[in-house]
Amino acid sequence: MSKDKSLVKWLLSMIICGTILMSFVIAGVSMALYMRSVKRIYKTEMLKSAEAAIELVGKDKLEALCLDAFSENAKDPENKERTRKVLLQVYQDARLTDLVLYAFDDKSLKGTAIVVAFDDDVKEGDGISFRKRELDRLLKGEATRIVEKNDDGSYENTIFKAVTDKNGGIIGLIKISSRLRDTFDSRIRFLLLYVPLIVLLLVVFSVVSLRMFQKRIINPITEITQAANCYGARDMMNLDSEEEQSFTIPVDVRNDELGVLWNTCHDMEASIKESIIKLKTVTAEKERQAAELSAASQIQKGMLPTADPAIDDHKAFSIFGSMTPAKGVGGDLYDYFLIDDDHLAMVVGDVSGKGMPAALFMVLVISQIRMNSKKGMGPAEILKAANTVICANNPEMMFATVWMGIYEISTKTMRECNAGHEDCAIRRAGGRFEFDIKSHDTPLGIMDDMDLTEFSVAFNSGDELFVYTDGVPEAADVAEAQYSPERLLECLNEKSGLSNEETVGHVLDSIRGFVADAPQFDDITMLSFTVR
């Protein structure tokens, strides 16, 4: 894992920043709550001091003292001095900064200092006024608290406690002040002691959490990443079935999400490995079959007519044939060969099925025809003898339609036999191609010991013969429309004076133009013969 992409370091930095931020937040909230509590305690203690002063002096004496403040002649001067001593004692015991007794005038709603136990800024006879909110609280009999900042930066907490007469009316006020220096000293101690402790605890917690996170999350993810990289670097097509997997089952199998992910990767790798091994086996088998098919195709091509000067350069006739298999090997057949100097044998056939079985059956058919042709038989006898052998060796119950003709060069006469094959087309010299429709016998391989019919056809110089398999008229386009025998005749009659090879090529081009992009479903075989 690269340095700049380390998840551990990123988490560590985030935890440290979060820890610092949380420390400040916790310290701030704690300080606010602490100060609020301290101020509430101060208020409570100062109220107790004010109530203690009232109790020590006595409400009757305080009431008399406050009423004397608004009289021209004091009735009890000693009462004032005695009150001052009591208030001074309270001032000293409670460690206050100020303690003053005010007489309150309910008409002017102002107070006048009558006894000053201690206050640097207040002298007897000084007046005091209140803000409306503070005055409303005093008139309701509630204590009023004022916090003020002094010149030295310290804060002073002041409480005004009302002194009431027997009727509940306010006749005086006791002012008690206390500095909050101790409070701020304790706040500093709090910041210096508790905040670092909180930060330390958070740091320890963060480090422990990070270690646990690294062990439970980061390390397993790293192992999965390394196993995935190892798996990706393998040569997938050369896997060994005994080779150890990248995602091996760890010793500490976990049942959480990462454990499930690891086990899923392990099972996926095993499944892919098994599929690749099967694919290699299937591929090897297909390659073997393709090699065998290629060899069979070469063998089949070797069985088709090849260049023979005795035929190609013959002065009495010209002939050309072609076969375009739908697969690597075809089930169609065509052949032509000289039986002797005066007889030319021509064969076109179509075996049921396609591919290798049809090709093997075709080999049996053509070999029987060639062998029997050397015995001086006619086409019907040759096909009958071949049918006997084929029926005796046909466990798959295949069959073949075969047209065979033997052309006698000296008489320009051809004897032919049609075992269930397509009608051939003949064009007389200067005329047009037409189908030579005759009765058809049963295809070879269906019925043993059957007789076949033989016909004789006379030819003249310039006459042409065109023989084909059903792959020609049944060639279909993408809409499954067939090429048809009528279109074949039309194509054959489009041009005249073509050589045999040109005639076959012209028909093949016409078929390809018709079917366009549609796949070829059947073998296409054609044979063109012309009498010179």
Side-chain angles (χ1 to χ4, degrees):
M1 187 177 292
S2 60
K3 190 173 182 180
D4 56 340
K5 295 182 179 180
S6 173
L7 185 59
V8 176
K9 292 185 177 180
W10 178 81
L11 284 173
L12 179 61
S13 62
M14 293 298 295
I15 289 175
I16 292 175
C17 293
T19 300
I20 295 174
L21 180 62
M22 288 180 61
S23 300
F24 280 108
V25 171
I26 293 174
V29 173
S30 301
M31 178 60 68
L33 294 175
Y34 174 75
M35 290 300 297
R36 182 178 179 182
S37 176
V38 168
K39 290 179 180 179
R40 183 168 58 250
I41 292 173
Y42 262 79
K43 178 180 178 181
T44 302
E45 294 297 326
M46 292 173 68
L47 283 174
K48 289 181 178 180
S49 298
E51 292 172 354
I54 294 174
E55 185 176 352
L56 290 173
V57 174
K59 291 192 66 174
D60 294 339
K61 293 181 179 180
L62 283 176
E63 180 180 354
L65 189 60
C66 290
L67 293 176
D68 285 349
F70 299 102
S71 301
E72 293 181 0
N73 298 317
K75 297 180 180 179
D76 189 359
E78 294 180 0
N79 185 24
K80 183 175 182 180
E81 186 62 27
R82 188 169 51 253
T83 301
R84 180 182 290 108
K85 290 181 180 179
V86 173
L87 294 180
L88 183 60
Q89 185 63 42
V90 173
Y91 166 81
Q92 293 173 349
D93 292 343
R95 294 186 297 179
L96 304 175
T97 56
D98 298 322
L99 200 159
V100 180
L101 174 63
Y102 289 90
F104 184 76
D105 185 5
D106 56 357
K107 295 181 180 179
S108 63
L109 301 178
K110 292 182 180 181
T112 303
I114 54 176
V115 178
V116 179
F118 188 87
D119 193 328
D120 294 337
D121 300 323
V122 179
K123 296 181 178 57
E124 292 184 5
D126 291 347
I128 186 173
S129 59
F130 299 93
R131 291 189 292 270
K132 185 177 185 305
R133 184 180 63 180
E134 298 168 350
L135 190 60
D136 290 340
R137 292 174 62 88
L138 288 173
L139 293 174
K140 292 178 181 179
E142 299 177 3
T144 298
R145 182 172 66 91
I146 302 174
V147 179
E148 295 178 338
K149 186 176 182 180
N150 298 322
D151 295 337
D152 60 358
S154 62
Y155 287 84
E156 193 170 76
N157 191 26
T158 301
I159 291 292
F160 285 93
K161 176 65 177 176
V163 178
T164 58
D165 56 13
K166 297 178 181 179
N167 298 322
I170 300 176
I171 58 174
L173 299 170
I174 292 181
K175 171 189 174 184
I176 297 179
S177 299
S178 174
R179 289 196 177 186
L180 300 178
R181 183 177 301 276
D182 294 339
T183 304
F184 288 97
D185 291 341
S186 62
R187 181 171 62 178
I188 294 175
R189 289 194 301 271
F190 175 85
L191 291 174
L192 293 178
L193 178 62
Y194 293 104
V195 171
L197 181 60
I198 293 173
V199 173
L200 179 61
L201 291 175
L202 286 174
V203 169
V204 172
F205 173 77
S206 301
V207 171
V208 172
S209 300
L210 179 61
R211 296 286 296 183
M212 294 180 62
F213 187 82
Q214 182 176 5
K215 180 180 179 181
R216 299 291 298 176
I217 305 296
I218 303 299
N219 291 344
I221 291 178
T222 303
E223 292 177 5
I224 293 175
T225 302
Q226 292 173 349
N229 291 334
C230 178
Y231 176 74
R234 286 188 172 185
D235 184 0
M236 304 305 296
M237 297 311 297
N238 291 315
L239 284 178
D240 184 0
S241 59
E242 301 299 327
E243 185 177 355
E244 185 179 358
Q245 291 189 204
S246 300
F247 289 93
T248 56
I249 297 296
V251 178
D252 54 337
V253 178
R254 294 167 51 176
N255 295 321
D256 58 7
E257 289 79 0
L258 289 176
V260 172
L261 175 61
W262 181 276
N263 292 331
T264 301
C265 292
H266 173 272
D267 295 341
M268 179 185 67
E269 183 185 5
S271 177
I272 293 175
K273 181 179 179 180
E274 182 180 358
S275 299
I276 290 176
I277 292 174
K278 289 182 179 179
L279 178 62
K280 288 172 62 178
T281 303
V282 172
T283 302
E285 179 63 21
K286 287 187 176 181
E287 290 176 351
R288 184 188 63 80
Q289 293 177 357
E292 293 177 354
L293 189 63
S294 177
S297 177
Q298 294 301 318
I299 293 172
Q300 186 181 45
K301 289 179 181 179
M303 296 187 67
L304 297 176
T306 57
D308 185 356
I311 296 177
D312 298 340
D313 299 334
H314 207 288
K315 296 180 180 181
F317 63 85
S318 62
I319 190 168
F320 180 83
S322 76
M323 183 184 71
T324 305
K327 295 184 177 180
V329 291
D332 281 5
L333 62 96
Y334 80 91
D335 196 6
Y336 51 83
F337 52 91
L338 285 170
I339 299 174
D340 52 40
D341 292 341
D342 195 36
H343 293 88
L344 173 70
M346 294 174 283
V347 181
V348 176
D350 185 2
V351 176
S352 61
K354 301 177 184 64
M356 187 68 71
L360 293 175
F361 194 76
M362 180 270 288
V363 171
L364 175 63
V365 173
I366 200 70
S367 61
Q368 288 297 312
I369 292 175
R370 275 181 173 268
M371 182 178 63
N372 292 316
S373 297
K374 300 298 182 179
K375 299 179 181 180
M377 300 178 181
E381 294 176 308
I382 293 172
L383 293 183
K384 180 177 180 179
N387 180 66
T388 301
V389 176
I390 291 170
C391 288
N393 299 275
N394 188 18
E396 298 298 327
M397 300 302 293
M398 299 181 71
F399 64 90
T401 65
V402 179
W403 174 93
M404 182 176 184
I406 297 178
Y407 179 69
E408 190 173 49
I409 299 172
S410 60
T411 63
K412 295 184 179 180
T413 301
M414 183 177 68
R415 290 180 296 167
E416 64 172 333
C417 180
N418 191 328
H421 199 72
E422 301 290 324
D423 292 317
C424 59
I426 297 177
R427 176 164 62 183
R428 300 299 178 177
R432 296 173 62 82
F433 272 102
E434 294 180 359
F435 289 120
D436 184 26
I437 302 175
K438 294 183 176 68
S439 63
H440 297 180
D441 292 317
T442 304
L444 306 185
I446 292 180
M447 184 174 60
D448 191 12
D449 193 24
M450 67 176 183
D451 294 325
L452 291 94
T453 306
E454 187 174 292
F455 298 94
S456 179
V457 181
F459 283 90
N460 296 307
S461 297
D463 290 349
E464 297 179 47
L465 173 70
F466 188 83
V467 190
Y468 56 93
T469 59
D470 60 0
V472 174
E474 293 178 2
D477 61 10
V478 292
E480 299 185 357
Q482 294 187 346
Y483 188 70
S484 76
E486 293 76 19
R487 190 174 276 105
L488 172 61
L489 278 182
E490 182 181 347
C491 176
L492 289 170
N493 290 315
E494 281 179 352
K495 296 181 180 181
S496 61
L498 300 178
S499 66
N500 301 112
E501 185 175 357
E502 289 173 341
T503 298
V504 171
H506 177 61
V507 175
L508 188 59
D509 290 341
S510 177
I511 294 172
R512 288 172 176 169
F514 174 80
V515 301
D517 296 331
Q520 181 181 343
F521 287 105
D522 200 0
D523 304 330
I524 298 175
T525 301
M526 295 174 282
L527 179 68
S528 177
F529 171 77
T530 303
V531 178
R532 289 178 175 173

